[in-house]
Amino acid sequence: MRSHNSVWVAGAAFFLALSGLTHHGPTLADESEWSLQITPRLGANERVCFGSSCRKEEDQYAARLLRVCLNRDAKTAGFFSAGEWVVAVGPDGPATCRERFYADTDRKILFLQANFLSDPRLNVGRPVTIRCEPNGASGDDYDVCSSEFFRPNSSNERFKVLDQSAVLRVVRDAKVIASIQQYMLEDFKRRAELQRTQYFADFQQAKESLVALRAFEQNYRANDPDKLIDRLVEVKKELLLQEYRDRFSRIRTPEDMKAFIAEYRENDPENKVQLVRGLLEAQVQRQQDEARAAAKLKAAEELPLKLVEYERQIIWCRRRTEAAREVIAREEEIGRISGFVNKKIMREAGESIVSCASNNPKLFAEYKQLGGRRTYQELK
């Protein structure tokens, strides 16, 4: 929400002197750089906003603004004064406010937000008006109808008009901008102290585990004001050695062994990589032996069925050959009587005889090699 359509109230640029202030926190702008904007909705800008995504963007911007609450100090009230202004900046301020602003400290904008009858952004130059019903409850931490920023409308007492000069006077007299800047300095110091506390807490955790130590190095490598990373060098060595020993003790599978060898091939503080290599080789050899034994057992279990299949193929081929010879003899007999033979039938029968004559010797040789006990003459 970078581009708000500024509604500049006359004389809305503030100038409050800051003399001799030095700091190492966020850069503080001169108060003359601040502007005042009046708006019916925090986060609204010059766009016409439709849809949930647009509203969500506005709400996110509004949530980042700093609440500025002003109340009168009753102890300083007198015949000529309602009391000095007390300014509370931030989320921990009073529950209710006599006057209220919201500050965008990045863009140096002070927002005055109320339920105006018309949008001040669209009615530049016209009176900025609110409606106040008798005995009406605001339901908010800021009762705009009791605000000193609004004066009664002379023509209708139910309406009040924004008094721009009153807003500027209160901002000046209450030193609102100075209070915001002081809050920013104190907030920076609080955050810096929290960060430093977390810095040392993370340092203590880094001594306990390698994960925490590596996280500390990553988080504070670019910003290590007390050089604590250097003080973790010996701790890191001990933790790395402990991790080395733990990983060695947890080795169970060839995958564990390969990972250990890959990790510590170049840095093997207790010379365990060679031992793991030997374990891996023995494990691989054992697995290969087990695989061969399993394959041999499986082959032995399947051998009887395999021999039966060889016998079936040999017998089938021999019977097929006998049948083919009978077909040829029959065709030859028909030819002697009729003078004609069916060459196609003769060809198919001959191919069967030749095929079996070629295949059966090979099948029988394999059958005998596998331990088959029957003779060729028995397989018919």
Side-chain angles (χ1 to χ4, degrees), residues 148-284:
E148 298 181 25
F149 294 163
F150 294 86
R151 64 176 185 269
N153 189 318
S154 58
S155 61
N156 191 332
E157 64 180 9
R158 291 188 303 170
F159 297 93
K160 287 189 175 183
V161 179
L162 178 67
D163 184 348
Q164 301 174 5
S165 62
V167 177
L168 298 175
R169 183 173 59 254
V170 169
V171 170
R172 182 185 62 248
D173 294 347
K175 298 181 175 57
V176 170
I177 302 303
S179 297
I180 294 172
Q181 293 179 332
Q182 182 63 31
Y183 175 87
M184 291 169 62
L185 280 175
E186 293 174 357
D187 186 60
F188 173 79
K189 292 176 182 178
R190 286 193 297 270
R191 291 176 183 274
E193 186 60 31
L194 288 174
Q195 289 176 354
R196 186 161 180 80
T197 301
Q198 187 63 50
Y199 171 62
F200 284 108
D202 291 345
F203 172 69
Q204 294 301 324
Q205 286 187 341
K207 299 177 182 179
E208 303 300 324
S209 74
L210 202 54
V211 172
L213 189 148
R214 285 168 174 159
F216 185 87
E217 290 178 329
Q218 181 178 355
N219 293 336
Y220 297 104
R221 183 175 289 110
N223 183 21
D224 185 14
D226 288 32
K227 306 298 181 185
L228 297 183
I229 291 178
D230 294 342
R231 292 164 59 180
L232 291 172
V233 171
E234 294 302 320
V235 175
K236 186 174 184 179
K237 289 180 180 179
E238 289 297 321
L239 291 174
L240 285 171
L241 181 60
Q242 186 59 49
E243 183 187 54
Y244 169 87
R245 291 169 176 169
D246 290 343
R247 289 190 60 177
F248 177 77
S249 67
R250 292 196 303 266
I251 289 176
R252 296 291 184 274
T253 66
E255 288 69 27
D256 295 338
M257 299 175 191
K258 292 175 183 177
F260 184 90
I261 293 169
E263 178 70 21
Y264 297 106
R265 182 184 295 111
E266 304 298 332
N267 182 21
D268 186 15
E270 294 183 344
N271 300 317
K272 293 186 180 341
V273 169
Q274 191 60 36
L275 173 61
V276 175
R277 280 200 180 99
L279 293 173
L280 178 60
E281 292 172 359
Q283 181 78 349
V284 170

Side-chain angles (χ1 to χ4, degrees), residues 94-113:
T96 59
C97 308
R98 177 71 172 177
E99 308 296 349
R100 185 191 64 191
F101 297 98
Y102 288 95
D104 182 339
T105 58
D106 294 327
R107 300 170 60 211
K108 307 298 181 290
I109 300 174
L110 198 62
F111 291 99
L112 174 60
Q113 182 266 332

Side-chain angles (χ1 to χ4, degrees), residues 69-85:
C69 184
L70 285 75
N71 285 299
R72 291 287 190 179
D73 184 2
K75 295 179 181 179
T76 60
F79 185 78
F80 297 103
S81 172
E84 296 180 0
W85 287 108

